[in-house]
Amino acid sequence: MTDQICISPVDGRELARRPTLSEAAMKAVLADARRAQREWAEVPIAERGQKMLAFLDALLGLNQQIIPELALQMGRPVRFGGEMRGVEERVKHCVATAEASLAPIVPEPKPGFRRMIKRTPLGLVFVIAPWNYPFLTAVNTIVPALIAGNAVLLKHAAQTILVGERFQEAMDKVDLPKGLFRNVVLDHEQADALIAAGAFDHVNFTGSVAGGRAVERAAAGTFTSLGLELGGKDPAYVRADADLAFAIENIVDGAFYNSGQCCCGVERVYVHESLYDRFVEGAVDLTSKYVLGNPLDDATTLGPMSATRFAETVRSQVREALEKGARAHLDPKSFPADKEGTPYLAPQILTDVDHSMRVMVEESFGPVVGIMKVRDDDEAVRLMNDSPYGLTASIWTRDIDVAEALGDRIETGTVYMNRCDYLDPALAWTGVKDTGRGASLSEIGFQLLTRPKSYHLREAG
């Protein structure tokens, strides 16, 4: 067993250290969860939903403590107020739609028979959550899984170890069966061993492609169902008819919010040649106004990346692009907090880029974006699809029919028009290619956290 340690990106100090669970303790947790799930499955869906609203109220009540904790754990500036607005939207939507989403499917009547397909709980769901949006990514599965009648164990990233404890604190304020929800501290090896042993009925993992492959390898042969949300390299396409000022404002925010550490953040931009020069000029001007610094300072709009190693990945991508002829539009010296060997990294916009450069094809997950000029829709679609990833893509246009038609050709799980970097809980959150498999949120998310059970009942006589 090894301790899980959070090193703050703000100042490099150890913020939290927690011991991992022993094998005996984990066996007890699993047994409690199984017992609790059987009891919970007998509770009506509407009552389960009310319990989740009580959990939400408890979590919202902790937000003033959570906001600075998030800044210290992963670097997001306190001025943005944490994640509770999105958490509230998602929880309330799940509760409001649960009964309809989980209702039996009844075929056309057949004389002498009662036929239906019920949605029954999978059993025990294991959620492995990431540090970048530690509440939002976890709640996407935790709440619908519980409403659907499952038990849930949460393993949070070491970088945001306190988030798991906040989930537990809020759940403990609700009258739930003992052990139904449990935050557990495990290292990767322990988690892999439990998955390989078939300890869970479903595993939801959000993280890197390498991490997703490790989860798939661990689950091989167990028939455990998986939900995997992995890497991304999300594109934006600015058509000739776009509202230019609106596109600049929103794409820049979509690229640099959370220091670019967003699953669906904009990492590459393709702009029609008629707008290209003005787009670049406007994007550079807006990005130059960011304030890089301590996330606990209300004036800071760009905090440090969550760890120095992630900042070094971005620095390496930028250096390689510059060596291959790219042009950098922002001087890091204009951001005094930017320092080599630290997680504090200035935002950067690159032009004269192409897909031979890692910054345009490999996930950056940091405050850098490359911009390319395109002639038409066909070239934009070709470049947008030239990626091993497929989470989201955004199209900036005044023509909704064209946007839908282009969306049919783009290889992603979500297509946006005139927005980006947002999850609508009424829609499935999913990806294609190396971005993963499965889906969360929406009616489909409920379906993947349950199994269909058919009833074919023939009347006597």
Side-chain angles (χ1 to χ4, degrees), residues 159-337:
Q159 191 65 46
T160 43
I161 198 77
L162 300 179
V163 172
E165 295 177 5
R166 291 301 190 188
F167 268 102
Q168 189 71 65
E169 183 178 354
M171 288 289 184
D172 287 346
K173 294 181 179 180
V174 182
D175 181 23
L176 299 174
K178 178 181 178 291
L180 183 72
F181 173 86
R182 179 71 185 269
N183 172 57
V184 294
V185 180
L186 303 169
D187 60 29
H188 295 314
E189 290 75 19
Q190 288 175 300
D192 286 351
L194 287 164
I195 295 169
F200 312 108
D201 301 296
H202 180 78
V203 177
N204 183 271
F205 171 83
T206 304
S208 68
V209 173
R213 288 184 174 132
V215 169
E216 275 203 321
R217 284 194 298 270
T222 67
F223 307 119
T224 303
S225 62
L226 301 177
L228 304 172
E229 188 205 320
L230 311 177
K233 192 71 181 174
D234 290 7
Y237 169 37
V238 183
R239 295 187 78 237
D241 67 339
D243 180 331
L244 183 60
F246 183 80
I248 290 169
E249 177 185 358
N250 285 275
I251 291 173
V252 166
D253 181 68
F256 297 113
Y257 185 80
N258 207 39
S259 298
Q261 299 169 131
C262 302
C263 301
C264 54
V266 176
E267 295 211 358
R268 51 199 174 107
V269 184
Y270 305 100
V271 183
H272 189 270
E273 57 189 6
S274 64
L275 298 181
Y276 178 80
D277 290 338
R278 284 182 289 159
F279 181 89
V280 171
E281 180 182 2
V284 170
D285 179 66
L286 186 55
T287 307
S288 70
K289 294 179 170 62
Y290 276 88
V291 178
L292 176 66
N294 188 317
L296 297 171
D297 185 340
D298 284 334
T300 296
T301 56
L302 193 73
M305 295 187 66
S306 70
T308 299
R309 69 183 185 279
F310 300 133
E312 290 306 319
T313 295
V314 178
R315 289 184 174 110
S316 172
Q317 288 182 350
V318 171
R319 280 194 297 268
E320 187 233 31
L322 295 177
E323 290 167 359
K324 289 187 172 184
R327 177 187 174 193
H329 287 261
L330 293 160
D331 184 353
K333 293 179 182 177
S334 299
F335 301 85

